Amino acid sequence: MIPASFEYHRPGSVDEVVSLLAELGEEGRVLAGGHSLIPMMKLRLAEPAHLIDLTGVEGLRGIAEVEGAIHIGAMTTQAEIIKSDALAERCPILREAAELIADPQVRALGTIGGNAANGDPGNDIPAVMMAVDAAYVLRGSDGERTVAARDFYQGPFETALAVGEFLTAIRIPAPPAGQGQAYCKLKRKVGDYAIAATAVTLAVDGGVCGQAAVALTNVGITPLYAEAASTALVGTAVDAAAVEAAVEAAVAITDPAADLRGPVEYRRHAAGVMTRRAIETALARAKGG
Amino acid sequence: MAKTDIKLTVNGQEAAGSVEPRTLLIHFLREQLGLTGSHIGCETSHCGACTVDLNGKSVKSCTVFAVQADGGEVLTVEGLAQGGELHPLQAAFAEDHGLQCGFCTPGMLVRAHRLLQENPDPSDAEVRVGISGNLCRCTGYQNIVKAIRNAAQAMREKEAAQ
């Protein structure tokens, strides 16, 4: 399988990318790690006339702590996310999720920005970013703007990215003290998308949940931020009744497709199981377990 | 479509060619350089038969354009044996019967080579995670894991002796 013909560009700076995108309009597409885009091009699900390779663009890689917040360059690979002990210390859900994405070869090139911006509901990073309340930094010819991960996804492969814009970085606010995080993913085999997966962050203080966020992967046409499920946990002791209420609220917003991963009823049930496990795991971690 | 000239180092030798941007690295290696050791399996970045080393990372060369590898360093299975002598991984795969049909073997060997650079003494579990992007439909993996661990030991002993 060989993709359709295209013209290849290898800019060296963000400004060059912006002017190429402005010039090429809908014909131009950025290439990050390529592990979603190239297979799509082979299948003719994507036929960009121009590919703008971000590999050589300065300033798009790396993990930094800025005034407590975590800044991650869009071209940082999943392998680099897994390797960073500092990141695993500050925001452990990122390593946990990245280890569940694809396989070592794919993670060597696949990037966090590509996974976030691709807009495939099967990608794992979006739900994680919703759970940690990340903001995406977008650059276009009108300059820079940020969009919350929770507001970014509009439909299958449809995002808040406008023509001429691309994702340069992800900013994660400092996780509050006492926060536990967990990503639980059910999949058929290494390299597969989730049958269902859930990302949870929650913080407890004096036995009471002060913050909670629940988000779901691959059980709808977009990644889903489960607001009602999150609210169901806040102010409770995260006891059995609260967990059950949150699980019910999360399952209620799922609308998975019946496919090779299973029928609708099974996938919705699996979303509930993953949500319960992620809440219980995050709670145990919040309590220092 | 206009062709682009690329230049890279493959198995320690300079290699140059003229490619369409859409030419995949696996096709450049096999068809232009004649290095047919790396295999084309699934073509969808699942099976790992096309695994090569690019700039010190294991990658699936069916999902990298040759133009992306311009200026880079590539190692294929043809680059493992040195001076007519099998690489310890190749010797261990032969000794431990780490293959049956052999189709996945070039990818397994090159992936295992990188894995042992990163972790010279992996456990069984670490080997299994390390080769989780390489599918074998014959062996059941037991002898592949054994061969990689035995090769790791041989390489450590060789290193210690030097």
Side-chain angles (χ1 to χ4, degrees), chain A residues 39-123:
Chain A
M40 284 170 67
M41 289 170 67
K42 290 180 177 184
L43 297 168
R44 303 298 191 274
L45 296 173
E47 289 190 58
H50 295 263
L51 268 193
I52 304 163
D53 188 351
L54 300 181
T55 308
V57 176
E58 255 185 75
L60 295 183
R61 264 175 213 280
I63 301 159
E65 193 164 333
V66 182
E67 291 165 6
I70 302 158
H71 291 194
I72 305 176
M75 285 295 286
T76 307
T77 64
Q78 306 292 359
E80 287 162 348
I81 296 289
I82 291 169
K83 210 172 167 192
S84 171
D85 290 333
L87 187 63
E89 177 75 23
R90 293 281 287 137
C91 194
I93 195 171
L94 287 178
R95 177 184 279 177
E96 186 169 39
E99 284 181 333
L100 294 169
I101 295 172
D103 60 54
Q105 287 95 313
V106 174
R107 294 195 291 262
L109 291 183
T111 64
I112 191 161
N115 200 292
N118 185 35
D120 185 336
N123 287 134

Side-chain angles (χ1 to χ4, degrees), chain A residues 175-247:
Chain A
Q179 188 184 68
Q181 309 179 335
Y183 189 61
C184 292
K185 176 178 179 179
L186 181 67
K187 56 179 178 173
R188 296 175 300 176
K189 63 176 189 66
V190 165
D192 196 20
Y193 286 140
I195 296 165
T198 305
V200 169
T201 63
L202 62 83
V204 280
D205 188 15
V208 178
C209 175
Q211 172 271 328
V214 179
L216 311 166
T217 297
N218 215 19
V219 283
I221 57 166
T222 64
L224 301 171
Y225 176 57
E227 193 167 5
S230 312
T231 314
L233 295 171
V234 175
T236 74
V238 199
D239 50 18
V243 173
E244 222 38 58
V247 168

Side-chain angles (χ1 to χ4, degrees), chain A residues 1 35 39 42-43 106, chain B residues 41-47 60 62-63:
Chain A
M1 282 187 289
H35 278 62
K42 290 180 177 184
L43 297 168
V106 174
Chain B
C42 70
E43 297 190 74
T44 52
S45 75
H46 284 97
C47 79
K60 296 185 174 177
C62 77
T63 310

